[in-house]
Amino acid sequence: MTQETILGRGNMEGARLVRQWFEQLDATAKAGDPSAYVFVMGSFAEILRCFDLPVVFPEINSIQTAVRHVAHEMLNEAEDYGYSPDICGYVKADVSVQLRRGEHPMGRIPRPTLAVLTNACNTYIKWAEIWERMHGTRVFTLDVPGTRAAGRQSAPGSREFENDRRYVEGQIRELIGVCEELTGKRFDIDRLRQHLAWSNEMNGAWARILELNRTRPAVFNALTDGTIYLGVSNALRASEEGARYFRELAGELAYKKAQGIGTLSEETYRLVFVGVPCYPIFRRFNELFTEWGGSFVCSTYLWFASGGVNRGFQFDTDRPIESLAEGALLSVRDAMDSMFLNDRVIGEMIDEFAIDGVVYHPIKSCRTVSTGLADGRRALMEERDIPSLFIESDMMDRRVVSEAQMKNRADAFFEGLAARRQREAAASGG
Ligand code: SF4
């Protein structure tokens, strides 16, 4: 393997796999075969794959419309149909896809036979009701207990944790019954063991990959490269191809670390990104930071949008359903904590990744992620002496994205970082 063949492989292969996944969805739609709609925070793909149900991620479908610059047309269409400008842009782009009978820039999207959702975002629940009304979709809501209070997560082994785990396990067993009923297939526990084993590889590699970015320079950009990795981690979760991809990706990034190869010619500032990216001007948004030598080395997005697999949880394939319940409880709870208790998560990242600044990006149409960001920032600033930037736009709606305004704010932020560095150098006699 040469440097030419190894470098950039993860991004190219990731894009190819996501395209291939959409092609498979297109074939499913054209054949009129069943599919399951799921969400990034708790997809239960390990169960759905046992029934050969292709998984569709409406959130990823919507991102693709923004990145491909057609989201605004679709948002208008959903608003003309009656949806408020205030609600989640992902929902409205999906409504437009449904009204267009699955037509999407990446191919046709199949209709949902089943929708599986967790309580990680309240919008999931109302969103699934739309499919229920439009298509008569069977909706299965899996209630995952969250953290009751900051810093008070129940630990595995405690009675409180075991009660919650059993509660999730009971619901997974119900979900299996629903899948049997809808597909007419019997559940095969050995297939579940195999899918869990592939998820184990993906989870382990994902945790290693995140950790590799502690190195200086960072080996991947958590905003741009990270979004590609996230796409594969969701779309190919619990599959052999997904496991292979992450094994190879971890190898590529370990190689970059060993060779000291970063993402920028000069990494001047190490940043953490908090929130959801600005997809309507995705590349330009990233450049507002990289042009100043700012590198996103980690993000809360890579935690919550991966459904919490960042913790690298390993399923016990000897007790598959029990262990799946434990993993789901830990990982979905972790995803929720990284949104709702973000000051704690960011505090840990600042130390682990040697962070110079925190970039908050609250977005108009995702209240779940954005509502608490101002409070989270204030709490963090009380605890830590670290510069931060708070810029608002949207992840879908280019009508509320002001590039010039964001650039002014980003420039001022970096000027502040530079001045601070000069002061520090002067104080240390450098
Ligand atoms: S409100 Fe936010 S977290 Fe919920 S579905 Fe929309 S984008 Fe996702």
Side-chain angles (χ1 to χ4, degrees):
M1 194 79 60
T2 64
Q3 180 153 314
E4 285 70 39
T5 54
I6 198 168
L7 292 184
R9 187 179 61 188
N11 285 13
M12 265 182 340
E13 183 61 2
R16 187 189 71 77
L17 288 172
V18 169
R19 271 199 311 277
Q20 190 184 69
W21 172 60
F22 272 107
E23 281 161 18
Q24 286 160 0
L25 295 184
D26 183 82
T28 302
K30 285 178 178 149
D33 288 341
S35 76
Y37 278 27
V38 296
F39 294 92
V40 296
M41 290 188 282
S43 71
F44 295 91
E46 292 83 358
I47 296 287
L48 300 169
R49 288 193 193 281
C50 293
F51 296 93
D52 301 308
L53 278 166
V55 287
V56 179
F57 284 85
E59 291 154 302
I60 300 179
N61 298 347
S62 295
I63 289 171
Q64 288 290 336
T65 67
V67 173
R68 284 161 205 285
H69 307 294
V70 293
H72 57 285
E73 296 165 20
M74 305 177 91
L75 298 179
N76 282 336
E77 195 175 319
E79 285 170 17
D80 289 347
Y81 189 71
Y83 285 91
S84 157
D86 289 344
I87 64 164
C88 172
Y90 286 175
V91 174
K92 284 184 290 185
D94 172 69
V95 164
S96 166
V97 169
Q98 303 303 331
L99 292 174
R100 295 174 184 199
R101 306 172 85 82
E103 187 195 308
H104 183 275
M106 299 293 283
R108 196 163 287 280
I109 306 295
R111 277 183 173 202
T113 313
L114 168 68
V116 180
L117 48 135
T118 65
N119 52 315
C121 170
N122 56 350
T123 299
Y124 289 173
I125 294 162
K126 304 312 287 180
W127 195 345
E129 287 173 6
I130 299 173
W131 305 320
E132 198 175 29
R133 281 197 301 273
M134 278 185 169
H135 309 301
T137 302
R138 180 81 170 260
V139 174
F140 190 92
T141 307
L142 213 144
D143 183 30
V144 181
T147 296
R148 268 61 155 193
R152 293 264 312 279
Q153 281 194 341
S154 58
S158 69
R159 211 177 75 182
E160 195 187 358
F161 183 87
E162 184 50 22
N163 284 343
D164 287 349
R165 194 203 59 73
R166 285 201 347 251
Y167 175 58
V168 174
E169 182 186 328
Q171 296 175 78
I172 292 174
R173 290 186 188 277
E174 266 181 61
L175 173 62
I176 290 171
V178 169
C179 292
E180 285 189 319
E181 189 191 319
L182 287 177
T183 62
K185 292 182 180 169
R186 288 290 302 275
F187 173 62
D188 177 349
I189 200 147
D190 288 327
R191 281 191 74 181
L192 177 60
R193 287 194 170 94
Q194 178 60 77
H195 291 301
L196 290 174
W198 284 323
S199 282
N200 279 346
E201 262 206 78
M202 295 177 76
N203 292 357
W206 184 248
R208 272 201 310 284
I209 287 164
L210 295 179
E211 217 177 280
L212 279 168
N213 246 14
R214 290 183 188 179
T215 192
R216 194 185 283 267
V219 289
F220 70 93
N221 179 319
L223 192 74
T224 51
D225 305 322
T227 297
I228 297 173
Y229 310 159
L230 265 183
V232 182
S233 115
N234 285 303
L236 274 77
R237 183 166 177 77
S239 71
E240 189 172 9
E241 267 190 315
R244 177 189 57 78
Y245 173 81
F246 273 93
R247 196 167 51 239
E248 291 177 1
L249 179 62
E252 175 188 335
L253 298 178
Y255 174 85
K256 286 179 79 174
K257 179 182 174 182
Q259 303 295 318
I261 301 171
T263 59
L264 298 174
S265 47
E266 199 180 334
E267 179 182 283
T268 313
Y269 303 106
R270 293 169 64 82
L271 307 172
V272 50
F273 181 80
V274 186
V276 179
C278 179
Y279 286 117
I281 54 162
F282 192 36
R283 194 165 54 109
R284 183 66 197 128
F285 180 75
N286 180 53
E287 285 169 359
L288 299 180
F289 302 91
T290 54
E291 280 169 358
W292 283 87
S295 177
F296 287 111
V297 302
C298 56
S299 73
T300 55
Y301 195 48
L302 293 186
W303 287 28
F304 65 76
S306 73
V309 299
N310 50 296
R311 291 290 186 200
F313 183 80
Q314 296 294 294
F315 298 107
D316 178 354
T317 54
D318 288 337
R319 33 189 283 283
I321 299 180
E322 295 83 344
S323 182
L324 178 59
E326 182 172 343
L329 175 57
L330 286 169
S331 56
V332 176
R333 190 175 74 176
D334 202 53
M336 290 194 264
D337 284 354
S338 64
M339 294 188 295
F340 305 140
L341 307 170
N342 62 68
D343 56 313
R344 288 171 173 263
V345 175
I346 298 161
E348 287 164 22
M349 287 176 174
I350 289 169
D351 297 326
E352 290 168 13
F353 292 83
I355 294 298
D356 298 302
V358 183
V359 177
Y360 290 88
H361 182 235
I363 46 179
K364 177 191 75 119
S365 65
C366 174
R367 296 202 184 99
T368 305
V369 174
S370 306
T371 303
L373 287 191
D375 290 333
R377 182 196 195 198
R378 204 176 49 229
L380 184 73
M381 295 305 120
E382 279 167 14
E383 292 285 317
R384 310 293 297 251
D385 174 27
I386 184 133
S388 66
L389 171 67
F390 202 80
I391 37 171
E392 294 167 84
S393 75
D394 199 50
M395 82 290 202
M396 290 290 288
D397 193 347
R398 74 176 193 194
R399 297 169 300 188
V400 293
V401 175
S402 166
E403 186 188 319
Q405 212 173 64
M406 284 199 285
K407 180 167 167 29
N408 282 343
R409 303 282 313 282
D411 288 352
F413 171 63
F414 281 107
E415 282 158 14
L417 283 178
R420 180 186 172 103
R421 198 162 272 182
Q422 273 174 0
R423 280 196 307 275
E424 284 167 357
S428 65

